[in-house]
Amino acid sequence: MSPAGVWEVVDFWAGVSWPASRVDAQRMAVDRLGWAVEVEDGLGYLVNPAFTPPEVSMSGIDTVAFVRFRIVDTVAEETPATRALLGDLFTLVVRAGVARLGRPSIRRDRGQTDATWEMGPAQVTVTLWSRSVMVRFRTPEGR
């Protein structure tokens, strides 16, 4: 996903009228982002078929507290080349975030780096791990 695409998805979640139920948030993501819902044991799980693995984490049933999604495929084996690729993507997404929202708070802990911005009553965090880069959008209810 391009840095601009990442921020378009963040803007989508920021524009949702929170609070929203899991079902409503999933429906909106399917309609607006082209994501899909897979049902397992009677519970719908949001997926982004553009990435491997495609799962999108979403907390809560009645009220969604956060949505976490990948912005790149998970790498099977960590190598210097994959670390550089993921690090470059993280840097570009953070730079785009700085241009939009100002300087983030940065936290490094146990092999991951988080860049976090406050977005009014919500919050967005971009996380660099050794095998992927993810975004977590915390809704006002998840704060």
Side-chain angles (χ1 to χ4, degrees):
M1 185 179 291
S2 71
V6 169
W7 289 101
E8 286 173 14
V9 173
V10 170
D11 286 343
F12 162 75
W13 290 115
V16 168
S17 181
W18 300 104
S21 71
R22 180 186 193 99
V23 170
D24 289 341
Q26 288 175 340
R27 181 182 37 76
M28 288 183 272
V30 168
D31 292 345
R32 299 279 306 284
L33 300 175
W35 293 0
V37 174
E38 293 183 358
V39 178
E40 184 177 306
D41 296 329
L43 185 60
Y45 294 92
L46 193 59
V47 296
N48 180 353
F51 296 111
T52 303
E55 301 95 29
V56 174
S57 298
M58 183 178 281
S59 70
I61 299 293
D62 295 328
T63 303
V64 175
F66 73 81
V67 179
R68 184 173 44 222
F69 56 95
R70 283 181 183 76
I71 62 171
V72 65
D73 287 338
T74 299
V75 299
E77 182 180 336
E78 183 182 353
T79 66
T82 62
R83 281 193 302 275
L85 175 77
L86 296 174
D88 289 348
L89 176 60
F90 176 79
T91 299
L92 291 172
V93 172
V94 169
R95 283 183 186 159
V98 167
R100 297 168 61 93
L101 300 169
R103 296 183 58 81
S105 64
I106 301 290
R107 181 174 170 245
R108 291 177 180 84
D109 185 33
R110 297 183 189 178
Q112 77 180 48
T113 302
D114 294 329
T116 301
W117 292 266
E118 302 300 322
M119 294 185 72
Q123 183 184 67
V124 63
T125 300
V126 179
T127 300
L128 170 64
W129 285 321
S130 62
R131 295 190 174 198
S132 193
V133 181
M134 298 187 76
V135 174
R136 181 181 64 190
F137 179 85
R138 289 180 65 182
T139 72
E141 287 65 41
R143 300 283 319 258

